[in-house]
Amino acid sequence: VFTDAVDLTTNLRGLGWDWARGTHVPHETRPTRSALAFLLTTALCFVRDIFVCDALHHLAQSVSPSTFGSPSGGPILDPSLPLLKRYVRSSKIVLLGGGTVYFALSMMFNLATLLSGVLHPKTFDPYDWPPFAEAPWAASSLADFWARRWHQSFRRPFLALGGAAGRVLGGGTDAGMVLGA
C-alpha cells in the first residue's frame, strides 16, 4: 500500500495506472536490457544536462548583462537597438532560455530516475522511466509539440486541475478545458 501511495504521488505520467490512457510515451534511447546499463547511461545524461543547462544559462546572461545582471531585471527588447538587432537579440534570449528550461527539467527527471534506481533497486524497471521528452525541436506543428514531443509529465495535473476548472468556467465546453489546461 505504501509503495502504491508513493507511486501515485510521484508518477505524474500515470504509467502502470488506468488514468494513463492517452499519454504518449517517448521512444527510449537508453539501453533497457540491464538496469545497471540504463542507470549508467542516465547518469551520463544527467551530467550532460548539468553542463548544457549551465552553458545555455550563461550564454543567455551574456547576451544581455543589463537584463540578467540587474536586481530588477530588464526587458529583452532593447528599444535603443535598431529593429533587426533588437529582435535578433530577443530571439537569442528566448531560444537560450527555452533550452535552459528544457535541460533543467531533463536534468531533474534524470536525477529522479537515478534516485529511484538507487533507492529501490529490486523493484526498479527502466520501462517505468521513459525519456522526459521526445526531441521537441523536431516538432512539425504545435499539435505535435504539445501532444507528443514535449514532456507528458504534467499532462494529468494540467487536465485534472486546470482543464476541469476551465471546462466548468467555459460552460462545459472543450474550448474552456483547453484554455484551462
Side-chain angles (χ1 to χ4, degrees):
V1 172
F2 177 74
T3 304
D4 282 350
V6 169
D7 190 38
L8 277 171
T9 57
T10 59
N11 183 352
L12 295 176
R13 288 181 180 160
L15 298 177
W17 297 92
D18 61 355
W19 51 270
R21 278 179 303 224
T23 300
H24 172 73
V25 178
H27 176 72
E28 184 59 75
T29 57
R30 298 165 292 183
T32 54
R33 289 187 181 181
S34 155
L36 180 60
F38 179 84
L39 289 171
L40 287 173
T41 305
T42 302
L44 291 173
C45 291
F46 174 69
V47 171
R48 175 210 59 204
D49 291 348
I50 290 172
F51 286 110
V52 174
C53 179
D54 191 47
L56 292 174
H57 185 244
H58 179 72
L59 285 170
Q61 287 178 320
S62 70
V63 169
S64 179
S66 63
T67 298
F68 294 105
S70 139
S72 59
I76 64 170
L77 284 172
D78 185 350
S80 68
L81 294 174
L83 193 64
L84 182 60
K85 282 187 178 183
R86 180 184 322 165
Y87 286 102
V88 166
R89 176 183 170 271
S90 66
S91 296
K92 282 182 192 175
I93 293 171
V94 167
L95 291 173
L96 291 168
T100 301
V101 168
Y102 172 82
F103 282 98
L105 290 171
S106 179
M107 174 180 55
M108 296 309 296
F109 186 78
N110 284 328
L111 177 62
T113 304
L114 292 169
L115 289 174
S116 177
V118 169
L119 296 176
H120 305 287
K122 291 183 181 181
T123 59
F124 181 79
D125 184 357
Y127 292 102
D128 289 338
W129 292 91
F132 168 72
E134 189 170 359
W137 47 86
S140 59
S141 67
L142 279 174
D144 182 37
F145 177 79
W146 286 114
R148 290 181 352 114
R149 299 279 181 184
W150 187 228
H151 70 87
Q152 294 287 308
S153 299
F154 297 122
R155 178 183 183 271
R156 174 71 179 169
F158 284 172
L159 289 174
L161 301 172
R167 178 171 274 173
V168 169
L169 293 172
T173 65
D174 286 343
M177 184 188 76
V178 169
L179 291 173

